[in-house]
């Protein structure tokens, strides 16, 4: 896979998470990037307004991508996400066929920020564990820019 500017693209995902927060949603977001570095799709968490507990940004983006983009393209794409994909989202990424994930905040650090918040009962399970159970490799890069990714959560979960 080609080398992309992971820091710059991850900062775009983090900026999207700030937009999600500003709109009153959970401060998570991700972007789908094509093989040449072009942003194909963006997605914020879809928790509000229906309180969809499965409306995580990565899961929703993978549904959109897998139903609209060719599989041959998807297997060359990278998802950049403000926080490490949870087990559900990692499964969606795996089944969609992506080969690379770049994330900011770890699940462990996120759990430290959100605590036992009823809207985000964080699973402290590294996405690499989920991917390792699969039959094909998913490259994982992260955590990256963890302080920047954590900043967006300040004042939200209190």
């Amino acid at each position: 896979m080609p080398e992309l500017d992971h820091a710059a693209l991850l900062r775009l995902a983090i900026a999207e998470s700030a937009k999600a927060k500003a709109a009153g949603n959970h401060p998570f977001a991700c972007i789908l990037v094509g093989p040449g570095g072009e942003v194909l799709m963006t997605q914020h968490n879809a928790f509000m307004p229906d309180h969809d507990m499965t409306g995580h940004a990565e899961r929703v983006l993978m549904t959109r991508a897998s139903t609209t983009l060719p599989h041959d393209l998807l297997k060359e794409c990278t998802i950049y996400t403000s926080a490490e994909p949870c087990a559900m989202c990692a499964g969606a990424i795996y089944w969609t066929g992506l080969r690379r994930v770049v994330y900011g905040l770890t699940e462990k650090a996120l759990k430290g920020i959100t605590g036992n918040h009823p809207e985000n009962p964080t699973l402290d399970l590294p996405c690499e564990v989920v991917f390792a159970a699969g039959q094909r490799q998913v490259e994982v890069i992260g955590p990256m820019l963890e302080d920047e990714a954590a900043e967006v959560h300040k004042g939200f979960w209190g």
Side-chain angles (χ1 to χ4, degrees):
M1 294 187 68
E3 271 309 308
L4 302 173
D5 186 344
H6 296 313
L9 290 163
L10 183 56
R11 282 190 173 103
L12 289 176
I14 294 169
E16 288 295 325
S17 70
K19 290 179 188 177
K21 179 181 178 182
N25 214 331
H26 292 172
F28 300 101
C30 57
I31 62 174
L32 182 66
V33 175
E38 65 281 9
V39 176
L40 302 175
M41 293 181 177
T42 63
Q43 182 66 52
H44 298 174
N45 254 35
F47 176 75
M48 297 301 287
D50 299 322
H51 299 281
D52 179 0
M53 297 301 285
T54 67
H56 296 191
E58 302 92 339
R59 201 275 308 151
V60 175
L61 183 67
M62 292 300 92
T63 297
R64 289 177 52 216
S66 67
T67 59
T68 60
L69 297 173
H71 180 73
D72 286 346
L73 173 61
L74 289 171
K75 68 182 182 181
E76 301 300 325
C77 290
T78 301
I79 187 171
Y80 290 83
T81 181
S82 60
E84 181 175 11
C86 71
M88 173 183 67
C89 293
I93 291 164
Y94 176 82
W95 285 110
T96 300
L98 269 62
R99 300 291 186 194
R100 183 165 49 199
V101 174
V102 180
Y103 71 88
L105 191 61
T106 64
E107 279 282 278
K108 186 173 204 64
L110 179 63
K111 187 176 180 182
I113 292 169
T114 63
N116 195 23
H117 195 284
E119 292 179 4
N120 198 52
T122 303
L123 293 168
D124 185 3
L125 179 68
C127 64
E128 290 98 331
V129 173
V130 176
F131 296 137
Q135 295 180 352
R136 64 181 150 65
Q137 184 178 357
V138 178
E139 179 184 5
V140 177
I141 300 172
M144 284 184 66
L145 309 174
E146 199 163 17
D147 290 340
E148 293 177 40
E151 186 67 29
V152 180
H153 292 270
K154 286 188 176 172
F156 187 85
W157 302 102

